[in-house]
Structure formats: C-alpha cells, structure tokens
Amino acid sequence: MPYLLVSPYLVHFFLFIAFPVVFSIVLTFHKWNIISPMEFVGVKNYVRLFNDKIFFKSMINTLIFLAIHIPLQIIVALFLAEVLNQKLKFQGFFRAAFFLPVIVSGVVVTILWQQMFGFDTGLLNRMLVTIGLGKVGWLTDPDVAMTSIAVMATWKNVGLYIVLFLVGLQTVPTHYYEAADLEGASRMQKFFKITLPMINPTIFMVVILSTIGGFSLFIEPYIMTGGGPLNSTISAVLYIYKQGFFYYHMGYAATLGLFFALIIFTVVILQKKFVETNN
Amino acid sequence: MKSVKKILFYLLLTIGAIAFIYPFYWMITASLAPESEISNLTLFPSSISLNSYKQMVEKIPIGRSLINSIFVASSVTFGVLIIGSMVGYALSRLDFKGRDTIFYIIIFTMTLPFQITLIPQYIIMVKFGWIDTYYSLIVPYLSNALAIIMFRQYFKTISQSLIDAARLDGCGELQIIFRILWPNSIPAIVTIGIITFMASWNEVLWPLIVIRDESLMTMPQLVTLFAVGGRAESQLGVVLSSAVMLALPIILAYLFFQKYFIQSMASTGIKE
C-alpha cells in the first residue's frame, strides 16, 4: 500500500525529472532540431559555449542584475519592515499594499513598468524633467537597461521580503532591546548589534531566493526589450529560450541549461559556505 | 518628539504605499480613458469609455483564455493536493523500505534548477504528441515537491490516535487521508492550494513553449503575445485593458483573502 501511495510521485519523478536530467546530458553531445535525426557532435557544443559571446554576456547581465537587485531588495525590505514593526495604525493596509505586486502576474508588472520607463511619456522621465533633470533611456540605453529591470524586479518582490523580515524581526526577544536601552544604546547601535545578527538567516534566504530568481529572469526582458539593446538585457533563460525555441538548437540549448544549472548550484553553495564561515 | 517621529513614519509609509498602488490605479484608469488621454497620466480621465476593452475583445480570445487559465490552474491544484497528501501521508505515517530514499530524492528535486530540465521536458511533450493540448499544461505540474514536504510536515502534527481509531473502524489508507486527515488539515490545504494555484496561474514560460494554438492559450501567455506582437497596433489602451483582465481576478481574490495570500506566499519563503 505505501508504494501505491507514492507511485504517482515516482512516475512523475522518473518521467519529468530523472529522465530529463539524463537526457539533457545526452543532448549536450548532439546536434538536433527535433525534426531530422540526432547527430553526434562530441564536445562541439561545449567548445561553442566557451566561445559564445552572448553566453558570457548573459552571465554578466545576470551578475549586474544580482549586484543591484540583492542589496536594493534587502535595504528597502528591511527598512520598510523596521518601520512597519512599530505600533502603527493601518499597519495591515500598508503591508497589503506593499504585497500587491507580489501576487500580480509578472506579465502585468512588466507591461506597467514598460510604460513607466517610456522615454517620452513615461512617468519616470516626466518626473526627472519636472525637477529639471534630463531624460534617461531606461530601456533603450544599454548601460541602464539591466539596472531598470533590476529595479522593477525589486518593486515586484520586495513585499514578500518585507513580510519575511517582519516575521524575523518578531522573533528577536524584546528583552535584548530593553537591556540595550538600559545601557543607553542608540537606535543605530541596536539595529546593527541586535537586529541584524538576529535576522541573518532571513537575509541569507533573501540572497538565495534572489539569486535563483536572477538566473530565472525571463518574462521581463522578453516583453520589455527582447534581450536588447545590444544584448544588454539578455538573461540566462531568455538565451536558452532563443536557442531552443527560436533556432531549434536543442543540443546547444540543453548545454546552456546544464551550465546555468551548474552555475546556480555553485553560486548557492558558495553563498552557503560564506555564511557558515562568517557565523 | 515622539509624535514628529510618528508622522514621519506615516509619511514614509504613505509614499511607499502610493509607489506600490499608483501603477495599478494608472493601468485601470488608462484602460478606461479615451486613447488620446492615456499618455497624459491624468488621475481622472475626462470620460470613461470601454472602447479599449471592445477592441481588445475583438482582437484576442480573452474570455476563452480566462476559462483555460481557470481550468489549468484548478486541475493542477487539485492534482497537487491529491498526490501531495498521498505521498506526504506515506512519508510521515507509514513505514516502508525506501522511504528515506524517496524523501531525500524529493528534497533534492526541490533544489534542482529548472533550466536543466526545460529542453528535455519540451522534447517529451513533442514525443507524447502533447504540444497544443491541455495535457502539456497540466500533467508536468501534477506533482510538486514542496507540496509533499508541506503535507508531510503538517500530517506529523496530527495525533496518531486519530489514525489508529479510524483504522479500528475499518478505514483504508485513502479513507484515512481524505476523510480523517483532510478535515484536520485545512490550513495546510489552503496554503498549498493558494501557492499552487498562483504559480500555475502566473506561469508563462512553459505555455509559451508548448502552446501555439490561440484557443488553448492561458491568459498570461495570450496577454504577453498581445503586448509584444503587432496586433494591438500600438494602441496602448488596448494592451492595458488586456493587462487589467489578467490582473483583476487575482486582485479581487486578494482583496477578500488577503491574509491567506500573505501567509501562504510567505511560507514558501520560509521553507529553506
């Protein structure tokens, strides 16, 4: 009977996870467009990958995204969570407002921000012009476009992290703060000496989830920029998508997928190590 | 001093709340405004017109995609709840050979990046002849590692005597799961249900890959292709009206069940 109960999972696992993982490794040694027969090409896909400027570009883009997205997200979420953690009226309303973009489809958020980032009529440039500054090519300037996407992603996700930080903040025993008050600690001191160390696990979780999110970025560049300008917003998944479903290079797309998966693993493990050695 | 600080906090929070709500408000008013006024960012359009919606409905099968989305997300959620509770029960309450192995496999699959399985899963869909069918949208999502783990955790908190009593009464394992454990696991079912439904509802990469037939498209996919394709003829109001249609069902549900949404989504983050 137990085996009967777990059998749906096992069938699903072998069909949609175990077999695909093995098959993707097989695919990396082949050239295949699904229609004609598979052709064995040895390590050609790997050689190509190491000489592929767009692959490296997508890596750099992801790193730029993470370098902006992770700190920004932690700072904004922590700040708003700190403010919300006071005894205030309408606390539930504010929390619900910040959470709104989390539940709405990324497609909607992207369409909205595409308009706000608009060069001539977008809200952001209008505000810049109003206060006497020049317009920014939020999505048209290759040096800025990825930053714009990182800011948008922060807006979309930060509500979730505010809630997680609030949970974290509430686990800090109040007598820690009372003791600090007795010794005359300032607000800043209390934050850096008590709050921050106590919510370290939450921060770590935000870093891991954001990293995975950065490597999964797809719909935002797909809708807003198509990966441009000059490939400055091409993301890991968008590049796999293009190779696989635009050019039908199944072998090469699988090679990209394998490498990105390995990179995600490595980055997450390194982050884990970093946290463990620092504690 | 204290009250000055409080006012400052409220000011900060209000600015923050406006930054999070205003874009949605603008989207709705812009979709209702005459096309000539959309680029003006007015808070209140001079007249309200459903013109954008009329044009959008003529161009894309939005109603059909809504039904598709509801059907797909409900089927996936139903499957995940059934399979998740069966496996979760076996892992938490039954003793059998290989149980720990299966548990570790599940944990492992939770950490497996989807980038590695994307291409082979597509090829499986092609070989099964599932491209442009509901199967491709539903079957690959029917079992979910996180749901199994959450059911396993929750079932562990339910008293064993309840299960023993049911067994004495002659209940089979399936009856125990669905007649005894389910009524006692409402919070877990709500949480897993919301997470699964939302994830399925918002999924867009996979539909873009396996569905080309417009009548089978889910809402996010249809709206995405409408926004990037040329069919909206660069009429912003028409694109925005489709985005409103996509956002509205979830926002309405959120207004009523806000607490459950926040709790559920937050618990996915706490899983690590």
Side-chain angles (χ1 to χ4, degrees), chain B residues 15-253:
Chain B
I15 293 170
I18 290 172
F20 283 89
I21 293 174
Y22 171 76
F24 293 109
Y25 174 79
W26 173 77
M27 170 176 77
I28 293 168
T29 50
S31 73
L32 292 168
E35 187 73 26
S36 60
E37 282 178 31
I38 292 175
S39 54
N40 292 338
L41 298 174
T42 36
L43 282 175
F44 305 102
S46 65
S47 64
I48 285 184
S49 104
L50 288 174
N51 199 17
S52 296
Y53 287 87
K54 264 190 213 126
Q55 288 191 45
M56 183 263 297
V57 170
E58 278 165 20
K59 284 171 201 273
I60 49 170
I62 192 85
R64 175 67 199 246
S65 74
L66 174 66
I67 294 169
N68 289 340
S69 272
I70 292 173
F71 175 66
V72 169
S74 310
S75 309
V76 168
T77 309
F78 187 69
V80 164
L81 288 176
I82 301 280
I83 295 178
S85 53
M86 276 163 50
V87 183
Y89 170 73
L91 290 179
S92 65
R93 292 298 175 154
L94 301 176
D95 216 359
F96 59 97
K97 220 177 141 203
R99 187 180 74 175
D100 292 344
T101 316
I102 293 175
F103 179 68
Y104 290 124
I105 288 176
I106 294 172
I107 296 287
F108 171 74
T109 59
M110 278 173 72
T111 62
L112 190 76
F114 74 89
Q115 286 84 343
I116 192 172
T117 50
L118 190 66
I119 298 289
Q121 282 187 350
Y122 166 73
I123 292 166
I124 292 172
M125 294 300 119
V126 174
K127 294 293 166 197
F128 281 6
W130 282 3
I131 297 299
D132 275 332
T133 67
Y134 287 120
Y135 295 118
S136 62
L137 293 175
I138 296 169
V139 179
Y141 291 95
L142 280 182
S143 161
N144 177 298
L146 177 63
I148 294 173
I149 300 295
M150 288 173 87
F151 268 121
R152 176 181 172 271
Q153 296 295 92
Y154 201 86
F155 287 163
K156 277 193 166 178
T157 65
I158 292 173
S159 150
Q160 179 67 34
S161 58
L162 207 64
I163 295 167
D164 292 338
R167 214 165 260 150
L168 279 179
D169 286 342
C171 281
E173 305 291 3
L174 286 177
Q175 278 176 312
I176 291 177
I177 297 171
F178 297 112
R179 289 244 183 100
I180 309 295
L181 294 180
W182 266 37
N184 286 295
S185 312
I186 303 296
I189 292 171
V190 169
T191 299
I192 297 164
I194 289 180
I195 301 168
T196 313
F197 192 91
M198 293 287 293
S200 175
W201 182 274
N202 288 332
E203 179 61 52
V204 59
L205 171 61
W206 185 246
L208 277 172
I209 292 171
V210 296
I211 302 292
R212 278 115 211 220
D213 177 351
E214 210 172 63
S215 66
L216 289 172
M217 286 182 183
T218 60
M219 241 180 161
Q221 181 190 9
L222 188 68
V223 171
T224 299
L225 292 177
F226 191 49
V228 297
R231 264 189 309 168
E233 291 156 20
S234 58
Q235 292 186 75
L236 184 52
V238 181
V239 174
L240 288 176
S241 67
S242 71
V244 172
M245 295 303 287
L246 173 57
L248 214 54
I250 296 292
I251 292 184
L252 285 178

Side-chain angles (χ1 to χ4, degrees), chain A residues 1-3 9 12-13 15-16 20 24 34 89 96 98-99 103 105 107 112 115 126 155 158 164 205 215 245, chain B residues 10 19-20 23 39 41 96-97 105-106 115 120-122 124-125 140 143 148 198 202 209 224 236 254 269:
Chain A
M1 192 62 190
Y3 297 103
Y9 173 75
H12 187 272
F13 169 74
L15 200 54
F16 294 115
S24 93
I34 294 202
K89 275 181 195 149
F98 300 149
F99 206 79
I103 56 134
S105 161
V107 173
L112 272 178
Q115 298 313 317
R126 276 166 191 250
W155 183 86
V158 80
L164 293 182
M205 200 177 68
F215 278 97
F245 307 106
Chain B
Y10 279 118
F20 283 89
S39 54
L41 298 174
F96 59 97
K97 220 177 141 203
I105 288 176
I106 294 172
Q115 286 84 343
Q121 282 187 350
Y122 166 73
I124 292 172
M125 294 300 119
S143 161
I148 294 173
M198 293 287 293
N202 288 332
I209 292 171
T224 299
L236 184 52
Y254 177 64

Side-chain angles (χ1 to χ4, degrees), chain A residues 35-81:
Chain A
I35 299 152
S36 49
M38 265 167 111
E39 183 192 329
F40 182 78
V41 293
V43 294
K44 232 174 166 177
N45 284 324
Y46 292 88
V47 174
R48 181 175 168 190
L49 183 118
F50 284 110
N51 293 303
D52 186 347
K53 284 199 183 103
I54 303 180
F55 166 71
F56 287 106
K57 188 76 189 146
S58 68
M59 283 294 306
I60 292 168
N61 291 340
T62 307
L63 291 180
I64 294 174
F65 176 87
L66 294 177
I68 298 159
H69 181 57
I70 293 178
L72 190 64
Q73 180 141 272
I74 291 173
I75 292 167
V76 174
L78 204 48
F79 177 74
L80 288 174

